[in-house]
Every structure is written in C-alpha cells, then in structure tokens.
Amino acid sequence: MRAFLLFLLLLALLALVWSRGWRPPDRYNPWAPLDLRAPPDLFFRYKLDRLGREPRACRAALAQAGARFTPLPDRDGPGACGWIDAVRLRGTGAAAIERPAIVSCPLAATLVLLDRQVLQPAARQLYGTAVRQADHVGSYACRNIYGRASAPLSRHARAAAIDLTGFVLADGHRLDIAGDWDARGRAGAFLHLVHNRACEVAGLVLGPDYNREHRSHFHVEAQGWGYCR
C-alpha cells in the first residue's frame, strides 16, 4: 500500500512539473523530434520509426540536417510496388549521392546518420580527410528478392533499400567495395569499419560476407534493430 501511494505521489509530481512547462532534454525524451545532426540517443530508433508515419516531420529533419532532396508524389504500383512519402535524395549534407536516389524518407534520414556518424568519422580516422560522395547501383526497383519469381517482394520495390557500392574521398581517392573489401591496409580497414558501425544507425546492413549476391555492395535499410551481416 505504501509503495502504491509513493507511486501516485511520483505521478502527481511529474504531472505538476510537466504542466509548468518542464521537459526532459531531447536525448532523454522519446517524443522529441529526431535531430539528424546529433549522435543517436537511446530513443533514436523509435524516433526514426515515427518519421515513417510523420512525413512532414521527416522532411523537416532532412532539411534541418542540410540534406539535398526533392519530395516525390506517392506511387502506387505496378502490383505491390511503389512508394509512400519518398524523396529524391541528392546529398546527405556532407556527402553527395553519386546520382539521385529514390528512397523512403526514413531511409534518407538513415543515410544522413550513416554519413555523419560513420562515414565521415571513419574517413577522418583512417585517411585524415572527408567522404565526398557515396556511390550506389540502385534504390527503387520493382522486383522480388534476388529477382526470383518465387521469392518475396524486395524492400527495393518500396524504395526502402539502397545498395551502396563505394565511396569517394575529398582528395579523389575511390574506395570500391567489390575490389577493396578483402584488401589489406587502409582501404579494407575503412570498408570493414563502415560495415561494422553502420548498424549503429541503420536497421539492416548486408555486406560482402553475407552471400555472393552482396559481394559488391552494402545493402542498407532503415527498418530493423541494427542487424549487420
């Protein structure tokens, strides 16, 4: 009984301070908007998932982070393919995208986090420079997994995945996943570091060691809880 009364008292105190305008710092507030410029906090996956249901807030977060993008009208079909609340992404705020990619807004937000929290720190650590560009071989594609007729629909078919093939540094040095993944020295170390840390911000990352279909790229999705293979 005493514990219950103490619990009610605590709730009353919280309600009082909340009514007077007090709010916890954004890092400790699951209802605060996601700031893509800040390091991921305890609630960032929840906040990122919420962006999928709040397209205006998602686009505002991208703009706040300096991403270069154009909102796209929804596309329905063919079949179960298409997208909702997607953008044409040209840059993440620091790095350019090799060619504009059609991606869901949460995936665009994930790529901004990947650039800020993983790519740029790894490049500074190993090369003493920045990543200028991220290369890819596609985002939206209306197909099943691996293009097999009997397989489930690919996440690419909903603009919810992108296949990154490499990165270009500010000094022009190119890092290619297909050619440098097994390389000794800084190139291989950089790509492994990026892959290993990518799931700190991405929901799913499949790389060259996953299977032969991914030997040439990192398959990146926003949805998930940090699964890297």
Side-chain angles (χ1 to χ4, degrees), residues 115-196:
D115 184 24
R116 285 178 172 269
Q117 305 301 327
V118 180
L119 290 177
Q120 302 301 340
R124 288 193 296 269
Q125 175 184 333
L126 292 172
Y127 286 94
T129 188
V131 173
R132 184 183 73 198
Q133 176 178 289
D135 297 338
H136 70 96
V137 288
S139 49
Y140 174 75
C142 184
R143 62 173 175 82
N144 292 343
I145 294 175
Y146 304 138
R148 298 170 185 168
S150 59
L153 195 69
S154 170
R155 296 290 294 167
H156 287 283
R158 302 296 296 173
I162 189 170
D163 292 337
L164 301 176
T165 57
F167 310 97
V168 181
L169 303 181
D171 60 6
H173 185 72
R174 185 178 295 274
L175 297 158
D176 178 67
I177 293 173
D180 294 324
W181 178 255
D182 293 323
R184 296 183 178 181
R186 287 187 297 178
F190 173 86
L191 294 176
H192 280 267
L193 179 59
V194 169
H195 177 269
N196 292 339

Side-chain angles (χ1 to χ4, degrees), residues 18-223:
W18 191 273
S19 68
R20 291 177 178 270
W22 178 85
R23 297 294 184 271
D26 285 354
R27 289 187 59 79
Y28 305 103
N29 183 0
W31 298 282
L34 178 61
D35 186 349
L36 299 175
R37 301 167 301 176
D41 58 39
L42 181 64
F43 302 105
F44 98 91
R45 291 195 187 277
Y46 168 73
K47 295 176 181 179
L48 184 63
D49 180 71
R50 199 172 65 210
L51 290 184
R53 302 187 298 274
E54 300 175 359
R56 183 175 298 179
C58 187
R59 293 192 294 269
L62 292 178
Q64 181 187 50
R68 294 184 294 119
F69 67 97
T70 304
L72 296 174
D74 293 348
R75 175 172 176 173
D76 186 17
C81 297
W83 59 73
I84 298 174
D85 299 325
V87 301
R88 192 183 304 275
L89 186 67
R90 301 187 302 278
T92 59
I97 304 298
E98 176 193 13
R99 59 185 185 280
I102 297 173
V103 293
S104 68
C105 194
L107 179 56
T110 297
L111 292 174
V112 170
L113 288 171
L114 180 68
D115 184 24
R116 285 178 172 269
Q117 305 301 327
V118 180
L119 290 177
Q120 302 301 340
R124 288 193 296 269
Q125 175 184 333
L126 292 172
Y127 286 94
T129 188
V131 173
R132 184 183 73 198
Q133 176 178 289
D135 297 338
H136 70 96
V137 288
S139 49
Y140 174 75
C142 184
R143 62 173 175 82
N144 292 343
I145 294 175
Y146 304 138
R148 298 170 185 168
S150 59
L153 195 69
S154 170
R155 296 290 294 167
H156 287 283
R158 302 296 296 173
I162 189 170
D163 292 337
L164 301 176
T165 57
F167 310 97
V168 181
L169 303 181
D171 60 6
H173 185 72
R174 185 178 295 274
L175 297 158
D176 178 67
I177 293 173
D180 294 324
W181 178 255
D182 293 323
R184 296 183 178 181
R186 287 187 297 178
F190 173 86
L191 294 176
H192 280 267
L193 179 59
V194 169
H195 177 269
N196 292 339
R197 290 200 57 206
C199 279
E200 296 176 12
V201 297
L204 172 71
V205 179
L206 302 178
D209 291 340
Y210 179 62
N211 60 19
R212 64 181 181 181
E213 283 83 1
H214 291 83
R215 287 296 298 171
S216 63
H217 62 274
F218 295 158
H219 172 97
V220 180
E221 298 181 17
Q223 289 186 328

